[in-house]
Amino acid sequence: MPQVPKKQLPPLEISDKKTGEIIAKIRKQRGMTQAELAEKIGITRVALSAYENGRVRLYDILLGFQKDQKLTKDTNLKTVKRINEIENLPPAKRKSLLDIIDTYLKANQ
């Protein structure tokens, strides 16, 4: 039988702008450029800049937050696990896999 948490924490309300500021602050504290961090996490420098400046919305589920989503805990954990596995692939393999996923998603819209 699964354990029920004793205390439920309230959801964090973080704006996209605030999230980006936090990312930029941590990146700078670690002495990394946008290009270095982008390479490390497998995105472009332009995309990272957009996140840091709040021009692009970070999906809450990727940040570990959930707002009004109808996902079960099991589904969420499986999705997060797969995303982490994809992020750990070498850049060329990650790009190939993401291209396949994008093609599949476009075909099924």
Side-chain angles (χ1 to χ4, degrees):
M1 181 177 234
Q3 288 185 344
V4 177
K6 294 179 183 177
K7 187 174 188 181
Q8 199 64 282
L9 296 175
L12 293 174
E13 295 296 327
I14 299 177
S15 70
D16 295 326
K17 178 99 171 119
K18 177 95 172 158
T19 302
E21 290 171 1
I22 293 168
I23 292 169
K25 181 179 178 182
I26 293 170
R27 174 183 58 76
K28 290 173 185 175
Q29 286 175 344
R30 295 187 180 184
M32 297 179 78
T33 65
Q34 284 184 336
E36 290 169 334
L37 179 57
E39 170 81 24
K40 187 168 187 142
I41 63 174
I43 63 174
T44 66
R45 189 207 55 79
V46 173
L48 180 61
S49 175
Y51 291 137
E52 287 186 356
N53 293 305
R55 291 188 312 268
V56 174
R57 183 177 183 275
L58 289 168
Y59 291 100
D60 293 327
I61 194 154
L62 297 179
L63 297 172
F65 310 127
Q66 288 186 1
K67 282 189 200 173
D68 304 324
Q69 295 192 4
K70 303 297 181 206
L71 298 176
T72 66
K73 187 173 182 176
D74 291 336
T75 304
N76 181 30
L77 293 177
K78 288 178 184 178
T79 303
V80 171
K81 181 180 177 189
R82 285 187 173 111
I83 290 169
N84 288 331
E85 289 173 2
I86 291 168
E87 288 177 347
N88 291 325
L89 290 172
K93 289 186 177 186
R94 181 175 48 241
K95 183 181 180 329
S96 295
L97 180 56
L98 292 174
D99 287 345
I100 292 168
I101 292 169
D102 289 342
T103 301
Y104 177 83
L105 292 173
K106 286 178 186 174
N108 289 288
Q109 287 182 350

